[in-house]
């Protein structure tokens, strides 16, 4: 029998990246030495290149790199690595990676910093020392070219890209809004941030997550990507996708929310996490089998590219499977509805995948579980899977706009659409922010407050 | 062509129209769990709604969606007042368009939360 069991996959690249100095005496020594020889830089949010509103904070990327979510990436990419990612979606080591990870600063800040290759910079967050960046290379980019090449176009990626990316696409805007000077090199966190409630309850870096899976006896675990509060369709997706496994259904469902700047109309991060927690807290899925966590990342909404990053993160966290639905991490009509499933089932040659992601060299081990849709069927009188239920004329779809419309009007969604405890969580945070969804005010507030505070190090 | 505006009903709204002639037109969806009233409008009124609110759109079911909450609330109030699902209720709401647009403009900053107990 054991020969039929799946093993927990190794981290992507073979080893978890962990670049966090946890011994505060050692961290202070680093800082003291830096005071004599290093430049200091205050991390600022990336602002929309036209509208000036926050669209990203690089601190989230530094956290995700240093705690191993993005293993084997160790820092801000060199020009050669950036080129390799843009042309082949591979790091220089050959491991698959979809997106540029860059520490960008303005020309003005660069001139003020006065650093060169071989220098170390202390990065401050909220005015306090946070991390160090050992500069390996300094180079200049053209942000518009970076944005275009990151996502591709209908001409260069005709298999899945349907529309030219533009400033209505939040991920394109993030790269378009990068500053032109890149400081490339390895990050090390010297002052561990402290997560604020409710984020503190859900912070599970890959090593800790793997340990917890061992403690829970989860041989197999399936990841659920989310940027939404769960409606009953999501719940059924989780429950049914988890029927895959090895000789028995997956032992665990790992919900991993993406926390960072979001689109207007999304739900606040705090509500997303607690709403997923409500699913297990109130017994819709047993807490022994369902765990909520998050990754810090300002979502790029890159559908198949984003699915690669999701696969990497969740493989690093120890999952054996990853569920993918339609329009995975998508916005608008830029991609084919099933672009992610095409990537994982057939490959997308123009993105560097002439075979499925699991079959290419340097690819992923985590297995895809590609799912279609769930709808409410009034004939079957249940939440039905589109590939089972043949009452497509009578189907009642749970669309996000339907539920947002109900929520905005203050009409409690019925239990077959959204669990009452989930709705209560939405209302709890609605009362706090005076608004049920992400709006300009929330984004501004969030980027001032962030998810963390930093302790004194000096 | 005919277009539809859907007005969802919770207990509060159901009570407001209890015993009225529109009560017979309540439709049940999602296994009877969600009650809805459907107001049918013609081309001209549909165009007026789309013109009034830039977020409004027609979905694949020929439903007019993504209108501001202030518009939907006013529409329900008008249905309850006129006890009708005819086009005239939408016209009456559009007659208060300036007031509704003013409320809609504030919607991106503030929406009153429902009065339910939370932890």
């Amino acid at each position: 029998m054991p020969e039929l069991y799946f093993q927990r996959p190794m981290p992507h690249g073979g080893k978890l990246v962990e670049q966090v100095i946890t011994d505060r005496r050692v961290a202070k020594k680093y800082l003291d030495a830096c005071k004599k020889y290093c430049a200091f830089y205050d991390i600022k949010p990336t602002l929309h290149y036209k509208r000036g509103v926050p669209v990203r904070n690089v601190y989230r990327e530094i956290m995700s790199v240093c705690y191993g979510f993005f293993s084997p990436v160790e820092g801000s990419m060199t020009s050669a690595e950036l080129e390799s990612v843009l042309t082949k979606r591979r790091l220089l080591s050959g491991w698959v990676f979809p997106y540029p990870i860059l520490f960008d600063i303005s020309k003005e800040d660069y001139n003020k910093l006065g650093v060169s290759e071989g220098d170390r910079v202390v990065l401050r967050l909220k005015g306090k020392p946070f991390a160090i960046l050992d500069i390996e290379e300094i180079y200049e980019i053209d942000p518009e070219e970076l944005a275009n090449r990151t996502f591709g176009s209908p001409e260069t990626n005709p298999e899945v890209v349907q529309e030219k990316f533009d400033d209505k696409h939040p991920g394109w805007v993030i790269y378009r809004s990068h500053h032109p000077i890149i400081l490339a090199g390895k990050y090390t966190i010297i002052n561990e941030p402290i997560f604020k409630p409710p984020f503190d309850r859900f912070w599970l870096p890959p090593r800790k997550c793997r340990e917890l899976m061992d403690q829970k006896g989860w041989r197999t675990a399936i990841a659920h990507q989310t940027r939404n509060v769960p409606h009953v369709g999501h719940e059924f997706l989780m429950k049914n996708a988890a029927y895959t496994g090895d000789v028995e259904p997956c032992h665990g469902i790992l919900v991993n929310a993406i926390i960072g700047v979001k689109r207007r109309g999304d739900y606040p991060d705090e509500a997303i996490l607690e709403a997923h927690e409500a699913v297990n807290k109130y017994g819709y899925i047993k807490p022994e089998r369902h765990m909520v966590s998050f990754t810090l990342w300002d979502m790029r909404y890159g559908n198949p590219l984003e699915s690669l990053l999701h696969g990497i993160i969740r493989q690093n966290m120890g999952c054996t499977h990853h569920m993918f639905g339609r329009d995975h991490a998508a916005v608008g009509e830029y991609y084919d509805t099933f672009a992610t499933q095409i990537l994982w089932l057939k490959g997308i040659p123009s993105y560097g995948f002439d075979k499925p992601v699991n079959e290419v060299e340097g690819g992923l081990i985590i297995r895809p579980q590609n799912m279609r849709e769930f709808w409410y069927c009034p004939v079957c009188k249940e939440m039905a899977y589109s590939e089972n239920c043949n009452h497509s004329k009578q189907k009642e779809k749970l669309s996000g706009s339907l539920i947002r419309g109900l929520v905005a009007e203050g009409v409690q969604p019925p239990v077959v659409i959204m669990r009452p405890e989930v709705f209560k969580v939405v209302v709890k945070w609605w009362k706090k922010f005076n608004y049920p969804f992400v709006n300009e005010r929330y984004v501004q507030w969030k980027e001032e407050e962030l998810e963390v505070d930093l302790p004194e190090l000096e | 062509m005919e277009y539809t505006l859907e007005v969802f009903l919770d207990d509060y709204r159901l009570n407001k129209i209890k015993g009225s002639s529109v009560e017979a037109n309540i439709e049940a969806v999602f296994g009877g769990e969600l009650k809805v009233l459907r107001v049918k409008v013609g081309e001209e009124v549909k165009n007026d709604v789309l013109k009034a609110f830039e977020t409004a759109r027609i979905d694949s079911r020929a439903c007019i969606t993504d209108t501001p909450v202030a518009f939907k609330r006013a529409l329900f109030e008008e249905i309850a007042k006129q006890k009708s699902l005819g086009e005239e209720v939408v016209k009456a709401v559009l007659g208060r368009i300036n007031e509704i647009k003013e409320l809609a403009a504030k919607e991106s900053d503030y929406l009153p939360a429902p009065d339910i107990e939370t932890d």
Side-chain angles (χ1 to χ4, degrees):
Chain A
M1 215 52 169
E3 67 273 15
L4 297 177
Y5 293 168
F6 289 159
Q7 303 297 316
R8 191 163 336 290
M10 68 169 189
H12 189 48
K15 182 175 161 282
L16 273 183
V17 168
E18 290 179 287
Q19 294 163 187
V20 183
I21 295 172
T22 51
D23 185 327
R24 297 187 67 74
R25 284 176 313 160
V26 176
K28 276 179 192 167
K29 275 188 182 176
Y30 267 91
L31 186 62
D32 287 342
C34 285
K35 279 179 188 163
K36 291 176 191 157
Y37 306 111
C38 304
F40 282 70
Y41 179 81
D42 286 296
I43 290 176
K44 301 163 187 161
T46 303
L47 302 179
H48 191 296
Y49 75 109
K50 278 184 184 165
R51 293 169 44 222
V53 294
V55 293
R56 164 198 180 229
N57 193 312
V58 72
Y59 112 86
R60 297 194 178 95
E61 287 157 42
I62 298 172
M63 291 286 282
S64 291
V65 165
C66 292
Y67 282 95
F69 291 87
F70 293 173
S71 299
V73 172
E74 294 183 322
S76 169
M77 293 174 176
T78 61
S79 57
E81 190 127 78
L82 173 63
E83 192 56 30
S84 175
V85 165
L86 291 176
T87 52
K88 296 185 284 191
R89 308 290 159 176
R90 305 289 194 284
L91 302 171
L92 290 174
S93 55
W95 295 101
V96 163
F97 202 84
Y99 286 130
I101 300 293
L102 302 169
F103 191 85
D104 58 306
I105 60 171
S106 67
K107 284 182 181 172
E108 193 189 1
D109 281 346
Y110 174 54
N111 290 334
K112 270 192 224 160
L113 264 183
V115 291
S116 57
E117 287 159 5
D119 284 342
R120 171 172 283 177
V121 185
V122 177
L123 306 174
R124 280 190 297 231
L125 185 65
K126 296 174 120 176
K128 291 180 183 158
F130 163 52
I132 50 179
L133 166 59
D134 289 307
I135 303 173
E136 192 182 326
E137 186 191 358
I138 299 172
Y139 61 98
E140 194 167 342
I141 55 157
D142 171 353
E144 183 151 358
E145 187 195 344
L146 173 72
N148 288 335
R149 292 186 67 200
T150 295
F151 294 99
S153 69
E155 292 75 33
T156 56
N157 309 88
E159 308 98 317
V160 290
V161 178
Q162 301 177 155
E163 278 181 20
K164 187 179 174 346
F165 290 88
D166 55 20
D167 61 7
K168 289 196 184 78
H169 187 274
W172 186 91
V173 166
I174 287 177
Y175 284 111
R176 175 62 187 82
S177 304
H178 271 47
H179 290 297
I181 304 296
I182 305 300
L183 306 184
K186 195 170 155 179
Y187 298 128
T188 307
I189 290 175
I190 57 169
N191 190 16
E192 275 195 283
I194 298 166
F195 279 93
K196 295 191 253 192
F199 301 101
D200 53 350
R201 293 210 303 281
F202 306 104
W203 176 239
L204 269 184
R207 176 166 303 282
K208 198 173 160 196
C209 188
R210 283 169 173 260
E211 286 168 4
L212 209 52
M213 284 182 181
D214 288 342
Q215 282 168 27
K216 283 173 171 276
W218 288 8
R219 183 177 66 244
T220 49
I222 188 163
H224 175 68
Q225 152 63 25
T226 187
R227 61 179 167 104
N228 215 330
V229 302
H231 56 58
V232 177
H234 295 127
E235 188 188 308
F236 273 71
L237 169 66
M238 286 190 260
K239 286 172 172 170
N240 285 278
Y243 282 123
T244 191
D246 47 24
V247 297
E248 54 194 350
C250 278
H251 291 162
I253 299 167
L254 180 73
V255 176
N256 189 240
I258 294 296
I259 298 299
V261 177
K262 292 221 169 46
R263 284 191 307 154
R264 310 299 176 271
D266 283 351
Y267 291 89
D269 288 328
E270 294 83 351
I272 293 170
L273 288 168
E274 286 198 342
H276 275 280
E277 182 188 37
V279 170
N280 70 49
K281 201 170 165 185
Y282 296 98
Y284 298 104
I285 302 176
K286 286 183 179 178
E288 292 82 1
R289 195 153 183 262
H290 181 267
M291 192 157 68
V292 184
S293 62
F294 69 90
T295 299
L296 291 170
W297 172 244
D298 299 308
M299 219 163 121
R300 308 305 202 249
Y301 296 91
N303 195 325
L305 298 174
E306 204 85 14
S307 80
L308 275 179
L309 183 71
H310 292 161
I312 291 166
I313 293 169
R314 283 80 196 231
Q315 181 175 320
N316 287 331
M317 295 180 83
C319 292
T320 48
H321 298 74
H322 199 303
M323 58 185 91
F324 295 114
R326 56 177 289 167
D327 287 322
H328 183 84
V331 60
E333 309 289 321
Y334 297 95
Y335 283 105
D336 183 291
T337 297
F338 292 103
T340 286
Q341 304 199 359
I342 292 169
L343 174 67
W344 288 78
L345 291 174
K346 291 199 310 198
I348 301 174
S350 65
Y351 276 143
F353 299 91
D354 55 358
K355 287 186 280 191
V357 179
N358 301 79
E359 292 177 25
V360 297
E361 209 170 315
L364 291 166
I365 300 168
I366 193 169
R367 293 164 173 80
Q369 177 69 5
N370 294 316
M371 303 291 286
R372 294 277 162 160
E373 291 178 79
F374 287 87
W375 58 53
Y376 182 79
C377 174
V379 182
C380 301
K381 295 197 187 304
E382 64 180 11
M383 197 60 69
Y385 184 51
S386 60
E387 306 309 289
N388 288 332
C389 175
N390 209 20
H391 305 119
S392 52
K393 278 187 187 157
Q394 295 97 328
K395 72 184 175 196
E396 291 170 357
K397 289 175 80 167
L398 281 74
S399 76
S401 65
L402 166 76
I403 295 172
R404 273 198 305 277
L406 289 170
V407 168
E409 282 192 80
V411 176
Q412 177 153 353
V415 69
V416 294
I417 294 181
M418 184 179 269
R419 304 300 186 187
E421 297 89 346
V422 169
F423 184 66
K424 274 191 179 182
V425 170
V426 170
V427 175
K428 171 187 164 182
W429 290 100
W430 183 346
K431 287 178 178 172
K432 156 97 179 152
F433 298 124
N434 286 319
Y435 202 68
F437 311 116
V438 169
N439 60 7
E440 209 98 331
R441 184 163 39 83
Y442 174 81
V443 170
Q444 293 284 1
W445 172 82
K446 185 75 188 290
E447 290 317 295
E448 281 161 27
E449 289 290 317
L450 301 177
E451 297 81 9
V452 295
D453 280 323
L454 279 98
E456 293 294 339
L457 186 59
E458 295 175 72
Chain B
M1 190 173 164
E2 207 171 45
Y3 299 88
T4 307
L5 279 154
E6 291 182 320
V7 180
F8 292 103
L9 307 168
D10 59 3
D11 289 344
Y12 171 79
R13 287 181 176 180
L14 283 167
N15 273 332
K16 291 274 279 186
I17 55 170
K18 201 172 180 181
S20 75
S21 54
V22 292
E23 197 179 15
N25 298 100
I26 295 172
E27 294 177 47
V29 289
F30 292 102
E33 296 273 357
L34 188 61
K35 308 283 192 295
V36 62
L37 286 173
R38 293 193 164 109
V39 181
K40 307 281 186 189
V41 300
E43 201 73 35
E44 195 184 325
V45 173
K46 180 262 296 181
N47 288 338
D48 289 345
V49 175
L50 293 187
K51 201 175 144 195
F53 307 111
E54 61 174 19
T55 55
R57 64 183 186 91
I58 308 295
D59 74 5
S60 54
R61 305 166 300 155
C63 282
I64 305 170
T65 65
D66 294 86
T67 52
V69 172
F71 173 77
K72 290 182 200 158
R73 284 192 176 146
L75 183 60
F76 174 74
E77 284 163 18
E78 207 57 47
I79 291 169
K81 191 172 135 193
Q82 294 196 30
K83 298 182 177 41
S84 164
L85 293 175
E87 213 175 50
E88 64 278 5
V89 293
V90 186
K91 285 181 177 166
V93 174
L94 290 172
R96 295 160 51 198
I97 194 68
N98 289 339
E99 173 203 335
I100 290 164
K101 275 189 172 177
E102 207 172 299
L103 288 168
K106 290 177 191 161
E107 273 176 28
S108 63
D109 195 52
Y110 174 76
L111 276 175
D115 190 18
I116 63 166
E117 264 191 45
T118 55
D119 295 337

